[in-house]
């Protein structure tokens, strides 16, 4: 049994205000639904970041100011689709580097490595499966400068406190002058943001409800999926999209393997996800609080998203 998931379900569904973490969205099925989300016309984040890495690879590499061979360590590499353009630029300009993609999924890493070897045969790729920090710690031991990639806007799924904790941990496992390129979604017209999460085809709804399907399968629970719905809300004054699962009626759910009976009132919510949107000053503060300095922001042409280049301070 996945024990941290079990503990989080017990704690989250027994709380006065029910909650479940979006980190549990990504079982095989959830990862597939997320691929669908990234292809939706409303989900501008992926296209914006792809544009940045396609059109500004040269500027990003110049801003690194690494004058020797370096490592590019990608945290949560997934299918590596976005990173491809950056790697392609480096390879075609004969710049010396190793690409170290890290992911918890062996399957994702195998597919990524095969694809890259086929499309960029000259690329030096050293894929790793496992815990980010173990691998980062090892990388920090050698003298080779590193560029860490944390793309896709994933930092936005952490509360401010957790984001600072995570970024400080990255920082602790980096060498002075190492760089971090971090993808962050920017504040913009609230309707654009609302539509990216409240999509017409209800793919984001499926993404959320898949969490209940996952709990049914892994813990022998009896959530009746049709008796739940999805709601999300963007509050532009604080830059937060919050997503929820809504119980459509008063009902009781058994989670047999956890010996739990959960009661829901009609319209009761389970908070599932935070997707934070940032202003540039907020990004500066986040960098400072985790011992980085912002070198430069690389924005797409609509100013929707930034790949922000940070440097570890002494
Ligand atoms: C992975 N993460 C940055 C996505 C986001 O935009 O918060 C996950 C997601 N949730 C709903 N749609 C996409």
């Amino acid at each position: 049994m996945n024990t941290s998931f079990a503990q989080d379900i017990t704690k989250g569904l027994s709380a006065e205000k029910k909650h479940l973490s979006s980190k549990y969205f990504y079982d095989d099925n959830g990862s597939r639904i997320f691929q669908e989300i990234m292809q939706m016309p409303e989900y501008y984040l992926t296209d914006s970041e792809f544009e940045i890495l396609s059109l500004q690879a040269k500027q990003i590499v110049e801003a690194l100011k690494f004058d020797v061979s370096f490592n590019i360590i990608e945290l949560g590499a997934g299918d590596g689709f976005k990173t491809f353009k950056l790697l392609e630029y480096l390879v075609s300009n004969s710049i010396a580097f190793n690409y170290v993609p890290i992911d918890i999924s062996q399957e994702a890493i195998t597919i990524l490595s095969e694809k890259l070897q086929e499309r960029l045969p000259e690329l030096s790729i050293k894929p790793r499966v496992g815990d980010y920090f173990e691998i980062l710690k090892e990388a920090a031991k050698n003298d080779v400068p590193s560029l860490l990639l944390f793309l896709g806007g994933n930092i936005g799924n952490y509360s401010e406190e957790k984001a600072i904790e995570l970024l400080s941990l990255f920082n602790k496992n980096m060498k002075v002058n190492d760089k971090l390129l971090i993808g962050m979604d920017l504040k913009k017209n609230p309707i654009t943001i609302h539509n990216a999460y409240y999509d017409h085809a209800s793919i984001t709804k499926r993404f959320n409800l898949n969490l209940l399907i996952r709990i049914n399968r892994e813990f022998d629970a009896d959530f009746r999926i049709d008796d739940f719905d999805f709601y999300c809300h963007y509050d532009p004054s604080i830059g937060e999209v919050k997503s929820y699962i809504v119980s459509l009626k008063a009902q009781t759910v058994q989670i047999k393997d956890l010996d739990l009976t959960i009661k829901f009132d009609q319209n009761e919510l389970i908070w599932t996800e935070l997707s934070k949107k940032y202003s540039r000053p907020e990004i500066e503060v986040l960098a400072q609080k985790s011992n980085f300095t912002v070198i430069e922001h690389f924005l797409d042409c609509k100013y929707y998203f930034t790949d922000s280049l940070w440097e570890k301070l002494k």
Side-chain angles (χ1 to χ4, degrees):
M1 192 191 286
N2 181 339
T3 48
S4 60
F5 189 19
Q7 282 164 5
D8 287 349
I9 294 170
T10 306
K11 197 167 159 225
L13 294 185
S14 311
E16 162 100 26
K17 288 190 170 180
K18 295 183 172 58
H19 55 90
L20 287 169
S21 167
S22 61
K23 73 178 175 200
Y24 298 113
F25 281 171
Y26 302 88
D27 62 351
D28 287 345
N29 204 28
S31 302
R32 263 180 243 123
I33 304 172
F34 186 54
Q35 296 287 331
E36 284 182 58
I37 288 179
M38 290 192 291
Q39 284 163 23
M40 300 186 322
E42 301 97 324
Y43 195 73
Y44 59 83
L45 288 81
T46 312
D47 291 343
S48 302
E49 191 168 50
F50 184 73
E51 186 214 290
I52 295 166
L53 295 176
S54 302
L55 301 184
Q56 299 181 70
K58 183 172 188 280
Q59 287 84 341
I60 294 171
V61 172
E62 281 171 5
L64 295 176
K65 299 205 163 55
F66 289 154
D67 41 17
V68 289
S69 174
F70 58 94
N71 286 331
I72 294 187
I73 304 174
E74 181 162 13
L75 308 165
D79 71 356
F81 169 73
K82 295 179 290 290
T83 325
F84 181 78
K85 284 286 165 189
L86 185 65
L87 301 176
E88 187 184 50
Y89 170 80
L90 289 160
V91 168
S92 54
N93 286 278
S94 308
I95 297 169
F97 76 105
N98 296 304
Y99 176 51
V100 186
I102 310 175
D103 205 283
I104 38 162
S105 159
Q106 174 69 58
E107 190 187 294
I109 284 290
T110 309
I111 296 172
L112 172 65
S113 309
E114 283 172 5
K115 214 168 60 184
L116 284 175
Q117 245 137 39
E118 199 186 301
R119 294 178 66 185
L120 287 177
E122 306 96 321
L123 176 71
S124 159
I125 166 164
K126 301 188 168 164
R128 304 292 303 268
V129 175
D131 182 67
Y132 292 169
F133 297 107
E134 290 304 315
I135 299 165
L136 268 183
K137 242 188 256 165
E138 269 176 51
K141 278 185 202 143
N142 63 43
D143 299 331
V144 185
S146 294
L147 166 66
L148 253 65
L149 301 179
F150 193 54
L151 302 176
N154 294 341
I155 195 69
N157 297 131
Y158 293 80
S159 67
E160 193 194 348
E161 190 193 337
K162 291 275 175 209
I164 293 169
E165 203 178 297
L166 181 72
L167 293 166
S168 304
L169 256 170
F170 288 171
N171 189 281
K172 250 179 63 190
N173 289 292
M174 290 165 73
K175 300 180 289 301
V176 175
N177 295 333
D178 276 0
K179 311 285 189 300
L180 168 67
L181 188 68
I182 179 165
M184 301 175 100
D185 197 17
L186 296 170
K187 287 182 171 154
K188 60 184 68 61
N189 186 329
I191 298 169
T192 307
I193 296 177
H194 172 93
N195 292 345
Y197 293 85
Y198 233 132
D199 62 288
H200 277 104
S202 298
I203 299 172
T204 312
K205 170 177 169 174
R206 237 188 321 123
F207 190 45
N208 276 257
L209 294 182
N210 177 60
L211 190 49
L212 304 185
I213 299 175
R214 179 175 181 188
I215 298 174
N216 279 353
R217 187 182 60 245
E218 293 187 20
F219 298 99
D220 197 9
D222 62 359
F223 282 101
R224 288 168 298 278
I225 309 305
D226 289 348
D227 291 339
F228 292 88
D229 203 349
F230 166 70
Y231 175 73
C232 71
H233 170 72
Y234 176 57
D235 182 345
S237 67
I238 48 172
E240 290 184 355
V241 178
K242 284 189 167 181
S243 299
Y244 303 90
I245 291 172
V246 186
S247 174
L248 290 176
K249 59 182 197 185
Q251 55 184 319
T252 301
V253 172
Q254 307 284 345
I255 309 180
K256 284 213 188 97
D257 291 353
L258 303 180
D259 230 348
L260 266 183
T261 303
I262 310 291
K263 277 195 168 161
F264 289 93
D265 293 333
Q266 187 173 25
N267 297 325
E268 190 172 345
L269 306 172
I270 308 173
W271 178 32
T272 51
E273 186 170 53
L274 165 71
S275 299
K276 164 90 182 141
K277 311 301 163 192
Y278 300 88
S279 65
R280 280 190 249 180
E282 281 174 321
I283 296 177
E284 311 273 334
V285 170
L286 196 59
Q288 256 171 32
K289 286 188 174 168
S290 36
N291 194 37
F292 288 98
T293 184
V294 177
I295 299 179
E296 197 170 340
H297 288 290
F298 297 93
L299 271 66
D300 61 303
C301 64
K302 291 183 179 150
Y303 296 179
Y304 278 1
F305 195 91
T306 178
D307 274 333
S308 178
L309 187 65
W310 297 5
E311 184 174 42
K312 176 181 166 119
L313 292 172
K314 290 186 180 69

